[in-house]
Amino acid sequence: MSTVQNASNTTAPTQFVETSNETYAYRRFGSGTEHPLVCLQHFTGTLDNWDPAVTDALALGREVILFESAGLGRSTGKVPDTIAGMAKHAFAFLDGLGVASCDVLGFSLGGMIAQQMAQDRPSIFRRMILVGTAPRGGEDIMHLDKPSLAKYLGDPKLQGYAVLQKIFFAPTESSQKAGAAFIKRLSQRVEDREPISGSAVAQAQLAAFRDWEKFTGERFADLKDILHPTLVLNGIYDEMIPVQNSYWLSANLPNAVLLTYPDSGHGSLFQFHESFARQAAAFLAADSEAAPY
Amino acid sequence: MSTVQNASNTTAPTQFVETSNETYAYRRFGSGTEHPLVCLQHFTGTLDNWDPAVTDALALGREVILFESAGLGRSTGKVPDTIAGMAKHAFAFLDGLGVASCDVLGFSLGGMIAQQMAQDRPSIFRRMILVGTAPRGGEDIMHLDKPSLAKYLGDPKLQGYAVLQKIFFAPTESSQKAGAAFIKRLSQRVEDREPISGSAVAQAQLAAFRDWEKFTGERFADLKDILHPTLVLNGIYDEMIPVQNSYWLSANLPNAVLLTYPDSGHGSLFQFHESFARQAAAFLAADSEAAPY
């Protein structure tokens, strides 16, 4: 199947790859001679939760591969309750596709999986983009019961994407307006959509977050082994995974550039999608051993 | 005088502008239709301390104006012992040149002066770049007596630029190598150099740092009024003005993007001069009301 045709997450068909354990759903579009960019998704998100404004812009210069891990959408299997377990599925998927080395965009939960993969098999990634995520041993990772999130998650007047708009964007007029535009973009795909995640997905992934907050030995010492050029991005008003976690990531990863955006929350990459796509493309186009681009 | 000719800080002649109070030394080079970029210098630095790798790259797309404040180099007058006093000299200089609105690159001490100017006369700046600096009420600003700095500043074997290499760059092989290259670039200018600053300059500027650490009322509340699109940059291992100050700046300025560089100290913009010039040029070329670029 041509990857240039339907080079948009609004229209790209969902594909499937069978491995020895599971069958994984994915979408693959765009073209380029560079490494493909594998995108690892956030809490309960499916392939349909990738903003086409981001994925399509990135697909102009490279192949973009959106991955649906086990137990999500139409992928078979069970959602693991550890990041390490999720990393194994991502490896099985990439091995199944025959991708030996790629770039990665890990958003939120996906950024944790990317860190785990970089430690388990460094050769899998050339360059890493970690957005709205946290190192092992980070703090305040996806505590949905805290007041600033619970007031939206427990509001019966908010349903579906309306909740996402509230919790992914800052409570300013400008950020909420960007959130509404984001929701509209997600809604453009009308056919071949993925099933929405249920509570079993959420429970397993939340268990993985609780485990990821624990650490043994020297805090953040494990990051010293991740030598990949890395771009870390966070919105300054992120209530789901606060920006402090990105400060720790960029201060302890030996080769990371940090970028923060104002007036934005967890979905900063979607709010400032033009800037993010430009920065990410420039970062991925660089071939230096050092992260600054 | 043509500003295209000698469009380099290695060769641009030092010029002088007489105002009602003082005569200020400056250099002006480059060309472009955009706003000129005024550069405000670090502790004890003269016009000769601007890295041509940074200034010349930026001058490819715009006019660059390097300003020497009162009591520095060949500028007349006395160094003020407050940031507010230094801001007054910068206004007098720009008024003297007839520059009603410009972009600004404020490095270290210069970044504090830029913040003060943005508050005192918002129309003076279109976009701001603040590197290795701190908000009023910041912490650990230029404490030269702390062990990590004193060991170099008090080392009789280190003289002149050799000290600068140690304290502006991280104690890694790669950062020190970049520091040596920086020193070499500064040394390329052989004629028409400025007198080196003496202890009277240092004492007055250190007094200004001590005053800048003090605050009254709500900490960082004064930053809420600076609405200019701002790019904040810091090296992750900055011992002179630690990165925490840039976290505070970007978290409290309402319209700021933060960029941090790995493996670098106070002179991060000089260490990664190609990346910095590219990022700064992209930021300055943007015309959005929002900082992300």
Side-chain angles (χ1 to χ4, degrees):
Chain A
M1 176 179 300
S2 164
T3 56
V4 178
Q5 200 182 4
N6 295 321
S8 165
N9 194 33
T10 302
T11 52
T14 303
Q15 301 183 65
F16 300 90
V17 58
E18 282 182 44
T19 71
S20 56
N21 291 318
E22 308 294 351
T23 296
Y24 299 106
Y26 70 101
R27 293 184 196 141
R28 185 172 188 165
F29 50 92
S31 66
T33 54
E34 302 301 319
H35 282 58
L37 178 69
V38 170
C39 300
L40 304 178
Q41 187 59 293
H42 66 77
F43 175 66
T44 70
T46 69
L47 300 175
D48 297 332
N49 287 89
W50 282 110
D51 184 352
V54 165
T55 58
D56 303 2
L58 289 171
L60 292 174
R62 64 194 52 73
E63 272 198 312
V64 168
I65 301 173
L66 310 182
F67 168 55
E68 195 122 275
S69 189
L72 275 288
R74 284 178 275 179
S75 290
T76 64
K78 200 179 152 202
V79 179
D81 57 6
T82 63
I83 301 297
M86 297 174 192
K88 286 196 180 108
H89 283 295
F91 281 126
F93 166 70
L94 291 171
D95 292 344
L97 283 191
V99 172
S101 178
C102 57
D103 294 329
V104 67
L105 166 57
F107 174 37
S108 190
L109 175 65
M112 301 170 204
I113 299 166
Q115 292 171 65
Q116 184 72 53
M117 293 172 74
Q119 290 177 316
D120 292 348
R121 195 198 292 177
S123 63
I124 192 68
F125 296 137
R126 188 190 64 113
R127 300 198 141 221
M128 301 172 63
I129 303 177
L130 304 177
V131 181
T133 191
R136 176 173 281 283
E139 266 177 21
D140 194 8
I141 299 174
M142 299 292 290
H143 285 267
L144 304 182
D145 51 346
K146 69 181 183 179
S148 58
L149 296 173
K151 68 178 172 183
Y152 299 123
L153 290 160
D155 184 344
K157 294 193 299 296
L158 296 173
Q159 296 294 329
Y161 280 165
V163 181
L164 204 58
Q165 179 178 330
K166 289 291 185 188
I167 63 179
F168 264 36
F169 294 82
T172 61
E173 193 181 334
S174 46
S175 189
Q176 284 298 310
K177 188 180 168 192
F182 163 70
I183 297 305
K184 197 172 175 186
R185 292 193 298 272
L186 288 191
S187 307
Q188 284 172 343
R189 185 181 180 97
V190 287
E191 290 178 4
D192 187 33
R193 288 183 70 96
E194 300 299 295
I196 291 169
S197 301
S199 65
V201 171
Q203 291 312 310
Q205 292 182 339
L206 285 169
F209 289 132
R210 294 294 77 75
D211 177 73
W212 191 249
E213 285 179 333
K214 295 175 193 158
F215 65 99
T216 54
E218 192 192 339
R219 197 179 190 186
F220 310 131
D222 50 332
L223 296 178
K224 299 293 176 205
D225 298 327
I226 301 180
L227 302 176
H228 306 71
T230 302
L231 173 61
V232 176
L233 178 86
N234 219 109
I236 217 78
Y237 301 114
D238 191 335
E239 286 288 337
M240 307 191 79
I241 303 182
V243 66
Q244 175 62 54
N245 290 288
S246 283
Y247 295 158
W248 280 324
L249 270 175
S250 52
N252 289 283
L253 284 168
N255 195 13
V257 164
L258 172 67
L259 197 59
T260 74
Y261 282 149
D263 185 42
S264 56
H266 202 53
S268 66
L269 75 171
F270 307 134
Q271 178 164 347
F272 294 109
H273 56 86
E274 287 182 13
S275 171
F276 174 70
R278 194 178 304 119
Q279 294 285 346
F283 172 74
L284 295 175
D287 203 25
S288 164
E289 284 185 21
Y293 59 99
Chain B
M1 175 179 300
S2 165
T3 56
V4 177
Q5 199 181 5
N6 294 320
S8 165
N9 194 33
T10 302
T11 52
T14 303
Q15 301 182 65
F16 300 89
V17 59
E18 281 182 47
T19 71
S20 56
N21 292 317
E22 308 293 351
T23 296
Y24 300 105
Y26 70 101
R27 295 185 192 138
R28 184 172 187 163
F29 51 92
S31 66
T33 55
E34 302 300 319
H35 282 59
L37 177 69
V38 169
C39 300
L40 304 178
Q41 187 59 293
H42 66 76
F43 175 66
T44 69
T46 69
L47 300 174
D48 297 332
N49 286 89
W50 282 110
D51 184 352
V54 165
T55 58
D56 302 1
L58 289 170
L60 291 174
R62 63 194 54 69
E63 271 198 311
V64 168
I65 301 173
L66 311 182
F67 168 55
E68 196 123 275
S69 190
L72 276 288
R74 283 178 276 178
S75 291
T76 63
K78 201 178 152 205
V79 180
D81 58 4
T82 63
I83 300 298
M86 297 174 192
K88 286 196 182 109
H89 283 294
F91 281 126
F93 167 71
L94 291 172
D95 292 343
L97 283 190
V99 172
S101 177
C102 57
D103 294 329
V104 66
L105 165 57
F107 175 36
S108 190
L109 173 65
M112 301 169 205
I113 299 166
Q115 292 170 64
Q116 184 71 54
M117 293 171 73
Q119 290 177 316
D120 292 348
R121 195 198 294 176
S123 63
I124 191 67
F125 296 138
R126 188 190 64 114
R127 300 198 140 220
M128 301 172 64
I129 303 177
L130 304 177
V131 181
T133 191
R136 176 173 280 283
E139 265 177 22
D140 194 7
I141 299 173
M142 299 293 290
H143 285 268
L144 304 182
D145 50 346
K146 69 181 185 179
S148 59
L149 296 174
K151 68 178 172 182
Y152 299 124
L153 290 160
D155 184 343
K157 294 193 301 295
L158 295 173
Q159 296 294 331
Y161 280 167
V163 180
L164 204 59
Q165 178 177 331
K166 290 290 185 189
I167 64 179
F168 263 36
F169 294 82
T172 62
E173 194 182 331
S174 46
S175 188
Q176 283 298 309
K177 189 180 165 190
F182 162 70
I183 296 304
K184 197 172 172 185
R185 292 193 297 271
L186 289 191
S187 307
Q188 284 172 345
R189 185 181 181 97
V190 286
E191 290 177 3
D192 187 32
R193 289 184 68 97
E194 300 301 292
I196 292 170
S197 301
S199 66
V201 172
Q203 291 312 312
Q205 292 182 338
L206 285 169
F209 290 132
R210 293 296 75 75
D211 177 73
W212 192 249
E213 285 179 334
K214 295 175 194 158
F215 65 99
T216 53
E218 192 191 342
R219 197 179 191 189
F220 309 131
D222 50 334
L223 297 178
K224 300 294 176 204
D225 298 326
I226 301 179
L227 302 175
H228 307 71
T230 303
L231 173 61
V232 176
L233 177 85
N234 219 107
I236 217 78
Y237 301 114
D238 191 335
E239 286 289 338
M240 307 190 80
I241 303 183
V243 66
Q244 175 63 54
N245 290 289
S246 283
Y247 296 157
W248 280 322
L249 271 175
S250 52
N252 290 283
L253 284 168
N255 195 13
V257 164
L258 171 67
L259 196 60
T260 74
Y261 283 150
D263 185 42
S264 55
H266 202 53
S268 66
L269 75 170
F270 306 134
Q271 178 164 347
F272 294 108
H273 55 86
E274 287 183 11
S275 171
F276 173 70
R278 195 179 302 121
Q279 294 284 347
F283 172 74
L284 295 175
D287 202 26
S288 165
E289 283 184 23
Y293 59 99

